[in-house]
Amino acid sequence: MDYTIGSIAPIVLFPLAAFVINAFIVKRFTKLAVGISCASILASFIFALRIFCDFLNVYSENNHVHKVFNWFDISGAGLDFVVKMGVYIDNMGAVMLLMVTGAASLIHIFSTYYMKDDARFGRFFVYLSLFTSAMLGLVLSDNLLSVFIFWEIMGFCSYSLIGFYYEKEGAGNASIKAFMTTRVGDVFFLLGILALWTQIGSVSFVDIYAAIAENRLSGVFVLGIPIATFAGLSIFMGTIGKSAQVPLQVWLPDAMWGPTPCSALIHAATMVAAGVYLSLRMYPLMELGGLTIFIAYIGAITAFLAATIALIQTDIKAVLAYSTISQLGYMVLGIGVGSYNAAFMHLITHAVFKACLFLSAGSIIHSLHDHHTHGHVQEMPRMGGLRHKMPFTFWCMMLCTLAISGVPFFSGFVSKDRILGDALVAASHAPQLWPVAVLGFSAAFLTAFYMFRMMFLTFFGEPRDKDLYEHTHKEKLLWNRNVPLMILALFTLGLFFSGSMTGQGFLKIFPKNKYEWFQTLITKPSIGEHGNIRNFMTYQRQNFSFSDEKSTIKFPMAHYDPDHGLDEHTSHHIHQLHMIGAILSILIAFSGILLAALMYLKKSINPATFVGTFSAWYKALKNKYYFDSFYIEVLIKKVLLRLNNFLAWIDLGVYDRYIVDGQEVVNRCAYKISNWIDQNIVDMSVDGTGASVRVFNVILRTLQSGKVQFYFVVFIVVLTSYILNLNI
């Protein structure tokens, strides 16, 4: 492969240029601005597709492109300080580029339908272009510093898009909540970067990997904590904030205030995916820091809690928002149990079916117009029977629901089953991980239930709001409404992600060309006994503008190692557990679907029975486990505000009053004392000198007056004094 700046940079620069151009022309030439945004992301997709095809053609485990340049250099005078920037593309990066540009392109196209009547139609695309370019820049980054820069740009874009309808108080509050909550994680992320910089002198991924391989982080502590643990935990806090993991998950459901295509972009291709991607890149550091069990528990708890809250949501977008948090929990769980490939696969499969689900929800909301309130309807209890009015949206949404529910032959089953299977394997070696596996399987059951609850309430049964249903027009096939959904729905088939329909290698559709991209080519940079992290000790970079000819280990296109490089006994043990996990996963998925059908389709089970039986839990779910109440009523009002008031009192009551104002009093006293000394001592000394001269002058003048009588009197006085002193 021959990569120059001209073949990589356009992936980021096209949408960035669209943002810059449109920022100036969007008011006068709105349609042109929208066209530029769509064309730019499609152009980025073509460049990303070319890179993906190159990597597919080489089909090598160690294939990568790493180009660097000096960002700034202040070396000299004994100082050696150079900051380098660059791009790093490996198999994972190539897949991410294709996913981000592909999903974002379809979301851009759908937005031309959804936002066409909006007063700020053009401005929405300006934000989309910047958002997409930031995510692509993050994926291409070769170091944590540039990741952080693009990370923060995305934070600004999410703030702008969530608060897009800023005239609504709720939208403004949601954007501030998202911005401030993610800042908590970002502060820790920055601390992690600084910690690594001080020890390694670089924050490049490959330099960090090399430092780990050379044991340069061993024996180094920060605040009494091993630096690998400190930095790994700090960086993972960034993931917790960005990917809405417990306890910083509260901002993502409120992000629903933004337009639905923006929700699709945040929940599928950008923002939340960035956090998981960061953890995947920094996996060796977290493994070295002993954080994997902690990460697994965070992911499992997040997956379960979010799934339970989704059970009772009535807003169709809220259901999807909590399902996103739950699925992100699965990805983090996968990282925690060492299921690196499956976690990344779930990131990609989830991006596809979640983008489709959100766009489908947008299609539904856009069609349901309440003629009394003149607003769109999102509440599922007012829907029902919509499959007759919206057949294209229904079938697309059904395929994606099957995928996220973990039904065999769909992408969600392939990736989620692998995570759950690896959770079983991890628990069999470390008993403390059994709760993680149990929470993971429980969340899978809940996912199937609440997703089909959403489908049955929305598309099946009799319309519950007759007036709303009658005023809903029958759906027409539109290129910018239905085609993006169809493309995304098509890619929910497991075949595209595993090389087989099941992902287990049982059914070979293309026997001669069978290979597994994720299982074979996505390499975990592990520090374990068989880890490959030491490969980075001899790593060499390439400068921009030079061709990149590298030696790679090429596999034949039919390569597939069913043992994944493990010995026969270990491989057999793992495959057995995976088989158990797959069977459990299938049974759980269909159990959840069956229960949802009995409740909301057949109505043979009354949901109110569960509400009455588990009233305390239901109340907790209605209040989202009181996270918001705790943060607002306790943490903010009773702790942070009081701390703020205390600090303000110290500032105003102590520092200003006694230090600043007290300084004035001290200065006044000092002035008075010095003034008194000046007037009464210094001036008197000066004036006294003159007066004494004058006195002596008078005396001398008197003594030299020339009067004989006076001289005689003086003589008599002196003589008398002398005689008296003789004591005669």
Side-chain angles (χ1 to χ4, degrees):
M1 290 182 288
D2 182 7
Y3 282 100
T4 63
I5 192 169
S7 57
I8 299 175
I11 296 174
V12 179
L13 294 182
F14 274 131
L16 182 61
F19 161 73
V20 174
I21 294 170
N22 290 343
F24 292 99
I25 70 169
V26 67
K27 282 190 176 180
R28 295 191 61 183
F29 307 102
T30 301
K31 291 185 177 179
L32 175 62
V34 171
I36 290 174
S37 287
C38 293
S40 67
I41 190 61
L42 286 170
S44 293
F45 172 73
I46 292 171
F47 275 82
L49 181 62
R50 183 246 175 170
I51 291 176
F52 178 78
C53 291
D54 284 343
F55 275 76
L56 185 68
N57 186 45
V58 174
Y59 198 68
S60 167
E61 183 182 8
N62 298 319
N63 191 25
H64 61 262
V65 175
H66 190 191
K67 300 283 189 179
V68 295
F69 64 93
N70 289 348
W71 188 25
F72 63 86
D73 184 352
I74 54 174
S75 301
L79 179 66
D80 183 16
F81 191 83
V82 180
V83 177
K84 294 180 179 292
M85 287 287 176
V87 299
Y88 181 73
I89 308 173
D90 56 4
N91 288 317
M92 189 164 72
V95 177
M96 277 293 289
L97 289 176
L98 188 67
M99 182 277 286
V100 175
T101 55
S105 298
L106 295 172
I107 291 169
H108 272 68
I109 293 170
F110 182 85
S111 299
T112 61
Y113 157 76
Y114 189 87
M115 299 295 292
K116 62 182 178 183
D117 297 323
D118 195 282
R120 293 187 283 270
F121 181 42
R123 181 187 294 184
F124 180 75
F125 281 85
V126 174
Y127 291 142
L128 282 191
S129 294
L130 182 61
F131 207 164
T132 310
S133 65
M135 183 65 190
L136 291 169
L138 185 146
V139 173
L140 285 171
S141 294
D142 78 324
N143 67 82
L144 288 174
L145 182 60
S146 55
V147 165
F148 189 76
I149 293 170
F150 291 116
W151 182 279
E152 290 302 315
I153 294 174
M154 277 200 294
F156 165 74
C157 292
S158 67
Y159 169 81
S160 303
L161 285 168
I162 293 169
F164 188 73
Y165 299 121
Y166 53 80
E167 64 274 12
K168 299 177 182 177
E169 185 181 359
N173 292 336
S175 63
I176 294 172
K177 186 178 182 180
F179 191 78
M180 297 306 296
T181 306
T182 53
R183 290 288 80 71
V184 176
D186 294 356
V187 170
F188 285 97
F189 182 17
L190 187 58
L191 283 176
I193 295 174
L194 294 175
L196 291 175
W197 179 276
T198 55
Q199 180 59 25
I200 301 174
S202 168
V203 288
S204 168
F205 293 128
V206 294
D207 288 338
I208 294 171
Y209 294 165
I212 292 171
E214 294 166 351
N215 291 322
R216 288 160 57 192
L217 301 182
S218 300
V220 182
F221 294 86
V222 177
L223 302 175
I225 305 171
I227 191 171
T229 305
F230 179 86
L233 183 60
S234 298
I235 292 172
F236 182 65
M237 281 298 296
T239 297
I240 288 179
K242 213 69 163 180
S243 293
Q245 297 294 289
V246 170
L248 299 180
Q249 82 287 4
V250 292
W251 68 271
L252 193 55
D254 287 10
M256 296 301 99
W257 279 95
T260 304
C262 135
S263 303
L265 197 63
I266 290 176
H267 287 245
T270 61
M271 191 76 176
V272 297
V276 177
Y277 180 75
L278 174 66
S279 286
L280 288 166
R281 283 291 186 212
M282 297 308 298
Y283 180 81
L285 183 69
M286 296 172 187
E287 188 182 21
L288 181 65
L291 297 169
T292 52
I293 293 180
F294 171 74
I295 292 171
Y297 269 93
I298 289 291
I301 292 170
T302 302
F304 181 77
L305 291 188
T308 54
I309 298 175
L311 294 175
I312 64 163
Q313 298 301 312
T314 55
D315 185 318
I316 189 169
K317 287 179 68 176
V319 174
L320 296 178
Y322 281 104
S323 98
T324 297
I325 298 174
S326 182
Q327 299 304 308
L328 291 168
Y330 271 112
M331 299 170 205
V332 173
L333 186 159
I335 296 171
V337 298
S339 188
Y340 189 89
N341 307 55
F344 179 61
M345 183 196 285
H346 200 56
L347 172 65
I348 301 299
T349 60
H350 173 264
V352 174
F353 57 66
K354 186 52 62 69
C356 185
L357 284 168
F358 263 110
L359 297 187
S360 299
S363 176
I364 295 168
I365 294 167
H366 205 269
S367 299
L368 300 182
H369 185 76
D370 191 323
H371 288 264
H372 300 292
T373 63
H374 300 289
H376 293 299
V377 176
Q378 299 181 195
E379 290 293 315
M380 294 185 296
R382 296 184 63 185
M383 301 177 189
L386 288 178
R387 70 183 188 282
H388 302 298
K389 292 268 186 165
M390 307 178 68
F392 302 109
T393 301
F394 165 69
W395 282 111
C396 291
M397 208 164 188
M398 177 58 80
L399 291 175
C400 295
T401 301
L402 291 168
I404 194 174
S405 300
V407 173
F409 308 124
F410 291 91
S411 59
F413 170 76
V414 176
S415 53
K416 194 191 297 183
D417 169 63
R418 288 185 175 179
I419 292 175
L420 293 175
D422 284 335
L424 276 182
V425 173
S428 68
H429 293 92
Q432 65 270 30
L433 287 174
W434 275 112
V436 170
V438 172
L439 288 173
F441 279 101
S442 301
F445 169 78
L446 297 174
T447 303
F449 174 80
Y450 70 68
M451 287 305 298
F452 271 87
R453 169 180 174 267
M454 180 190 74
M455 291 298 295
F456 294 143
L457 285 174
T458 305
F459 291 106
F460 290 84
E462 294 297 322
R464 285 176 288 280
D465 187 330
K466 297 286 186 184
D467 183 60
L468 183 67
Y469 183 81
E470 294 299 329
H471 283 90
T472 302
H473 297 290
K474 191 172 177 61
E475 185 180 30
K476 295 179 180 178
L477 181 63
L478 298 176
W479 67 271
N480 57 352
R481 176 183 182 179
N482 305 104
V483 172
L485 303 185
M486 292 177 177
I487 295 173
L488 290 167
L490 176 67
F491 279 92
T492 61
L493 298 177
L495 173 68
F496 293 103
F497 302 93
S498 66
S500 72
M501 292 294 284
T502 64
Q504 305 300 314
F506 296 147
L507 182 60
K508 298 180 180 179
I509 301 300
F510 304 111
K512 293 183 179 179
N513 295 321
K514 178 171 170 51
Y515 62 88
E516 289 207 357
W517 179 273
F518 289 93
Q519 194 66 29
T520 305
L521 297 182
I522 305 300
T523 307
K524 177 169 66 174
S526 179
I527 63 171
E529 183 181 355
H530 303 289
N532 58 359
I533 196 77
R534 298 183 68 82
N535 293 342
F536 290 92
M537 292 173 62
T538 56
Y539 190 89
Q540 292 184 346
R541 300 169 179 79
Q542 305 86 42
N543 292 323
F544 267 110
S545 300
F546 288 93
S547 63
D548 178 23
E549 296 294 338
K550 293 169 48 335
S551 59
T552 56
I553 304 171
K554 294 185 179 182
F555 297 140
M557 291 296 286
H559 172 79
Y560 175 68
D561 178 13
D563 293 333
H564 312 303
L566 303 173
D567 61 77
E568 186 178 351
H569 175 72
T570 305
S571 174
H572 178 69
H573 173 67
I574 290 176
H575 282 159
Q576 275 190 324
L577 288 174
H578 270 276
M579 177 69 77
I580 295 171
I583 294 171
L584 276 175
S585 181
I586 294 169
L587 291 175
I588 282 172
F590 281 106
S591 299
I593 296 170
L594 178 63
L595 182 60
L598 293 175
M599 279 191 182
Y600 299 100
L601 193 62
K602 297 293 183 183
K603 300 186 186 302
S604 53
I605 298 176
N606 186 0
T609 305
F610 291 91
V611 175
T613 306
F614 304 102
S615 58
W617 194 12
Y618 179 77
K619 187 178 178 182
L621 295 179
K622 289 287 286 184
N623 289 285
K624 306 167 188 175
Y625 289 110
Y626 302 100
F627 273 100
D628 287 278
S629 302
F630 172 76
Y631 288 146
I632 295 173
E633 301 298 330
V634 179
L635 188 61
I636 294 178
K637 289 185 178 179
K638 293 185 178 178
V639 178
L640 294 179
L641 280 180
R642 289 183 180 181
L643 177 63
N644 179 69
N645 292 337
F646 175 69
L647 293 176
W649 175 79
I650 290 178
D651 183 38
L652 297 175
V654 177
Y655 186 77
D656 278 3
R657 184 174 181 180
Y658 295 105
I659 305 299
V660 178
D661 296 344
Q663 184 72 27
E664 181 187 2
V665 174
V666 171
N667 288 340
R668 284 181 182 278
C669 292
Y671 166 75
K672 287 181 179 178
I673 293 171
S674 63
N675 188 48
W676 182 86
I677 292 173
D678 183 45
Q679 291 182 357
N680 294 283
I681 297 177
V682 177
D683 285 357
M684 283 186 67
S685 299
V686 175
D687 295 343
T689 303
S692 62
V693 171
R694 285 195 298 270
V695 169
F696 280 108
N697 178 47
V698 170
I699 294 171
L700 290 175
R701 278 191 307 175
T702 303
L703 289 175
Q704 297 178 353
S705 62
K707 294 179 179 179
V708 177
Q709 298 87 339
F710 180 74
Y711 293 155
F712 182 75
V713 171
V714 172
F715 174 76
I716 294 299
V717 170
V718 172
L719 180 64
T720 304
S721 300
Y722 178 75
I723 293 170
L724 291 174
N725 287 329
L726 291 176
N727 295 323
I728 300 173

